[in-house]
Amino acid sequence: MASAKNKNQNTPAAARRAKLDEARRKERARERRVRIITISASVAVVAALVAGGGYLMAAADDKDKAEEQAKSSPVKGERTWDKLKQNHVSKKVDYPMNPPVGGDHNQVWMNCDADVYTAEIPKENAVHSLEHGAVWVTYNDKAKDADIEALSKRVSSTPYSLMSPVADQDAPLILSAWGKQVTVKSATDARVAQFFSKYVQGPQTPEPGAACSGGLDK
């Protein structure tokens, strides 16, 4: 004769409870696996963000250091002129260098707020732009189209810079700032980036912060 305990275990209600208990056990096990996976994924994401953030910060630091190094280092092959005149004149000026890097100039500056000119511009107005801290990129008909295009993109994204052809300059590509000038071989020449970093509103600027818009726009 079966005991009362065995009878209770064999009832449909007991079977349902056992099945429910087993389902709950499985659900708890599933939830435990999900929590473990979620926590592990969250840890991985946080670790990736921390690592990525650290990389970006390190990259930014490296870029800042490289820019500071560029500003403090001399530009190889650069020519320098000191004690340049700064008088406003209304006549043509016979400059001792071409393109000019300073001296007497027109009272109206050439717009130099990332302006790219496809025709020659008055040198007397461009010199006034240099006085305001602009870098002037010039080229002649021997310059390669790819270099002209690349330098145009750089200028068009850089306030206090301008670009124009100068047909009678003696090299295909020349960069000028007030009292400073360098001839570069191509747009990828490392001195291009250095010259921009060093002289766009650089320490050579006679009138830092002066406007580069509102002037002559040929």
Side-chain angles (χ1 to χ4, degrees):
M1 182 176 177
S3 67
K5 181 177 180 180
N6 287 339
K7 285 182 179 179
N8 290 337
Q9 288 177 339
N10 292 330
T11 62
R16 286 195 298 271
R17 283 196 299 272
K19 187 174 182 180
L20 181 59
D21 288 342
E22 178 64 15
R24 287 172 175 170
R25 185 188 67 78
K26 290 181 178 179
E27 179 63 18
R28 286 195 297 272
R30 187 190 68 80
E31 290 176 350
R32 190 181 302 112
R33 288 195 301 271
V34 170
R35 286 197 301 272
I36 292 172
I37 292 171
T38 301
I39 292 170
S40 298
S42 298
V43 170
V45 169
V46 170
L49 289 172
V50 170
Y55 170 79
L56 291 174
M57 290 179 65
D61 287 343
D62 289 344
K63 184 177 180 180
D64 289 342
K65 289 177 182 178
E67 188 165 338
E68 288 304 315
Q69 179 68 25
K71 289 180 179 179
S72 61
S73 300
V75 179
K76 186 177 180 181
E78 176 186 276
R79 290 164 287 175
T80 299
W81 290 264
D82 298 318
K83 299 180 180 178
L84 296 166
K85 294 181 179 180
Q86 293 177 243
N87 301 312
H88 288 174
V89 296
S90 57
K91 62 181 180 179
K92 289 285 185 180
V93 179
D94 184 17
Y95 293 106
M97 74 293 289
N98 187 38
V101 299
D104 292 342
H105 50 270
N106 193 279
Q107 64 179 353
V108 180
W109 57 89
M110 201 75 201
N111 281 348
C112 47
D113 190 18
D115 289 280
V116 176
Y117 302 97
T118 56
E120 292 206 39
I121 60 178
K123 294 175 182 178
E124 293 78 12
N125 300 90
V127 169
H128 197 155
S129 301
L130 303 187
E131 187 182 42
H132 288 190
V135 163
W136 184 19
V137 178
T138 56
Y139 60 94
N140 63 19
D141 59 2
K142 294 181 181 179
K144 296 179 180 178
D145 290 341
D147 289 328
I148 295 173
E149 181 179 359
L151 290 169
S152 296
K153 288 181 179 179
R154 177 180 286 275
V155 169
S156 63
S157 63
T158 307
Y160 284 94
S161 71
L162 69 163
M163 180 174 177
S164 70
V166 174
D168 59 348
Q169 68 180 35
D170 61 5
L173 299 170
I174 297 177
L175 276 61
S176 303
W178 184 270
K180 308 290 183 180
Q181 192 170 86
V182 67
T183 298
V184 295
K185 298 177 180 178
S186 70
T188 59
D189 191 317
R191 294 174 297 171
V192 173
Q194 183 184 9
F195 200 88
F196 271 76
S197 294
K198 195 176 179 76
Y199 295 128
V200 169
Q201 283 286 285
Q204 86 293 341
T205 305
E207 298 180 3
C212 245
S213 60
L216 183 64
D217 185 4
K218 187 175 179 181

